[in-house]
Amino acid sequence: MQSSRKRKARRDDHLSQLQLQCELAIQAPGGVSKVLHLIEGASDDDIKSLNEARYSPVVGCIFRLGKSTTRNGNSAGSQLQLDELIEVCYRRNLSVNSSATFGECIHRPIIVAAYFGFYSAVRLLLQQGSLPDLRDGDGKNVLYAAFQNPTVEGIL
């Protein structure tokens, strides 16, 4: 059986330099801001490689910001930061329908944003052409994810 380190190394061999930088930045303190600057400063060829890989750094950033989601929802600062990242990705022509893989599951920005209650991000992604009927690796769509949101538990 392969060690997880070998599987991780093999996975990293297929990542573009920008994708690897984004994934490392997401894990670092101030990660969302770092990703924002990486995307803003990326060459057109680097952006093209992300689109060809169908990779979205937005997913990892939503997971990072979603860690601090409480029953009261998300902070206004987190929502603004995420909205700014989505706008920059859109301006740089990164596909709003791309995804990121965590474990063995594919996650899409609109579905993860709905799950964590970043509703302004969901609205923004829809305005930019995100397809609401797309499903993630578990077969969930955006509506299902919104109802699974930890902040709506007491509302329904």
Side-chain angles (χ1 to χ4, degrees), residues 9-10 13 16 26 41 52 59 63 66 72 89 97 106-108 120 125 130 139 144 154:
R10 182 174 296 148
D13 289 342
S16 71
I26 290 166
E52 287 172 353
V59 173
F63 274 118
N72 298 326
C89 288
N97 293 308
I106 295 171
H107 298 279
R108 301 200 183 273
S120 63
L125 288 162
S130 187
Y144 181 87

Side-chain angles (χ1 to χ4, degrees), residues 46-137:
D46 286 336
I47 297 297
K48 182 180 176 184
S49 73
L50 291 184
N51 280 328
E52 287 172 353
R54 302 205 40 82
Y55 170 77
S56 174
V58 175
V59 173
C61 291
I62 295 169
F63 274 118
R64 169 128 185 152
L65 293 171
K67 287 181 182 179
S68 48
T69 297
T70 67
R71 287 186 165 275
N72 298 326
N74 297 296
S75 73
S78 292
Q79 291 187 46
L80 289 173
Q81 196 175 27
L82 182 56
D83 289 351
E84 183 180 4
L85 176 61
I86 292 168
E87 287 284 352
V88 167
C89 288
Y90 183 72
R91 276 196 311 271
R92 293 302 318 269
N93 294 315
L94 271 172
S95 172
V96 294
N97 293 308
S98 290
S99 60
T101 302
F102 290 92
E104 296 296 318
C105 190
I106 295 171
H107 298 279
R108 301 200 183 273
I110 193 166
I111 296 170
V112 179
Y115 174 78
F116 283 112
F118 290 107
Y119 299 118
S120 63
V122 171
R123 188 176 314 112
L124 189 55
L125 288 162
L126 286 169
Q127 289 170 349
Q128 294 175 350
S130 187
L131 302 172
D133 56 340
L134 286 178
R135 296 182 181 272
D136 66 11

